[in-house]
């Protein structure tokens, strides 16, 4: 027996079905974990239900390759019915997972697909009632109505992928399954198993299809993990680092650079803006100011939200004057938004902690707030350092 004949025979079918079932078991494990982690979401529960159905379907496919069992008409009809039913449900689940909030997926079309499947199966049996009482000869399976309905289902789903986040990857899986359906129909109704290469192709395509589904599910899980991680370190409104992670990042930069500067920004008259313009308008302004701070500190440090309307910038790049960055932020906020900000700047000294540097920047910001607002103030320690550095430079020039 050649390797091609081995793959085209019962052993090849068993091998490929075993591969598919292994992928399905991994997907089932992921689905159970998702169901436990995401407050027992009904979509994940539906995935837990349908995956064992697909595993049973592939077990039936192995049975159909056994000569003693392949003659059973009930097994053939049951396999075709379960195959299409699981195809409808699993596509509903994946479309539900990847449909954005703006495009709500309705379950009624998929329910109609399942009702249609029941009617087509009944019509198939009614058209040829004798098929249930007679054994099926090898290569003479005639379930044209069900096979054709399967093509219609795939085509209908493929044409209705608006709002799907992973449209290209998901479309690729449907196209693979569509090619599998066409190849299986060509083998059943035209070649009757006489083309080993075509049979091998039919055996391998389900592995490709379920691998693509596994990758889609895996990518969905990774995206949720990344979202969970991001939500734990960033502020939901401004997308800046929250206070805890900002402090952690600042400590890391302080260890690496030995010196950092903190720019403490407070939006002037923010409460009045909230009261007169409403929370939605105030939130938009806060986000705009946060974006400016983020842009001005990009590549030279980082930014975070300290709390309320208090935002922080951090400068860690050598050769960059933090007061210049602070003034650039203040100027842009005044020009680009409907508010102004009071800004304080402090620079770390040897032995100081991040909390102390932030406190000094806060004190400098308060100085700006109480002396007219919309200005940048340096903490006294920064002013002293600037004067000493200036005097040192002057002496070196004289020397």
């Amino acid at each position: 027996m050649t390797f091609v004949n081995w793959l085209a025979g019962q052993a090849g079918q068993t091998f490929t079905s075993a591969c598919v079932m292994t992928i399905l078991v991994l997907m089932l494990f992921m689905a159970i974990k998702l169901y436990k982690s995401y407050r027992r979401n009904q979509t994940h529960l539906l995935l837990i239900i349908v995956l064992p159905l697909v595993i049973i379907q592939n077990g039936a496919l192995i049975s159909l390759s056994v000569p003693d069992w392949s003659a059973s008409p009930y097994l053939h009809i049951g396999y075709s019915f379960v195959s299409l039913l699981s195809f409808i449900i699993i596509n509903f689940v994946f479309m539900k997972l990847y449909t954005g909030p703006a495009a709500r997926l309705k379950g009624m079309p998929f329910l109609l697909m399942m009702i249609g499947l029941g009617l087509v199966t009944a019509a198939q049996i009614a058209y040829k009632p004798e098929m249930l009482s007679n054994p099926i000869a090898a290569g003479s399976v005639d379930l044209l109505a069900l096979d054709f309905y399967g093509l219609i289902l795939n085509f209908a789903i493929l044409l209705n992928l608006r709002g799907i986040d992973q449209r290209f990857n998901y479309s690729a899986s449907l196209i693979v399954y569509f090619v599998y359906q066409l190849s299986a129909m060509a083998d059943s109704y035209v070649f009757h198993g006489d083309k080993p290469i075509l049979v091998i192709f039919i055996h391998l395509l389900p592995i490709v299809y379920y691998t693509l589904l596994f990758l889609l599910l895996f990518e969905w899980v990774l995206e949720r993990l990344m979202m969970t991680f991001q939500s734990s370190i960033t502020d939901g409104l401004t997308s800046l680092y929250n206070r805890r992670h900002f402090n952690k990042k600042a400590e890391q930069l302080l260890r690496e650079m030995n010196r950092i500067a903190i720019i403490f920004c407070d939006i002037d008259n923010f409460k009045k803006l909230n009261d007169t313009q409403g929370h939605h308008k105030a939130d938009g302004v806060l986000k705009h100011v946060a974006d400016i701070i983020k842009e001005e500190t990009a590549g030279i440090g980082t930014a975070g939200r300290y709390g309320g309307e208090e935002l922080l910038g951090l400068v860690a790049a050598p050769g960059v004057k933090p007061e210049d960055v602070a003034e650039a932020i203040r100027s842009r906020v005044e020009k680009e938004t409907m508010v102004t900000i009071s800004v304080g700047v402090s620079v770390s000294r040897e032995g100081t902690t991040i909390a102390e540097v932030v406190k000094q920047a806060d004190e400098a910001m308060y100085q700006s707030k109480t002396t007219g607002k919309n200005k940048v103030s340096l903490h006294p320690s920064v002013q002293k350092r600037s004067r000493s550095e200036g005097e040192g430079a002057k002496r070196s020039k004289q020397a």
Side-chain angles (χ1 to χ4, degrees), residues 344-393:
V345 179
S346 67
V347 179
S348 64
R349 301 187 308 277
E350 187 175 350
T352 56
T353 64
I354 295 300
E356 290 171 341
V357 184
V358 172
K359 183 181 178 182
Q360 290 173 358
D362 188 10
E363 292 170 354
M365 180 277 297
Y366 185 73
Q367 178 70 19
S368 295
K369 187 75 74 175
T370 55
T371 57
K373 301 180 181 179
N374 189 26
K375 60 191 297 188
V376 175
S377 296
L378 304 180
H379 189 264
S381 62
V382 181
Q383 295 175 350
K384 290 177 183 178
R385 174 173 289 181
S386 298
R387 283 197 295 268
S388 63
E389 288 176 353
E391 291 172 359

Side-chain angles (χ1 to χ4, degrees), residues 253-271:
L253 290 171
L254 181 59
R255 287 193 301 270
E256 293 174 356
M257 308 302 295
N258 296 323
R259 180 181 175 184
I260 62 168
I262 296 293
I263 302 171
F264 200 114
C265 306
D266 185 273
I267 300 177
D268 299 326
N269 305 315
F270 190 73
K271 185 178 184 303

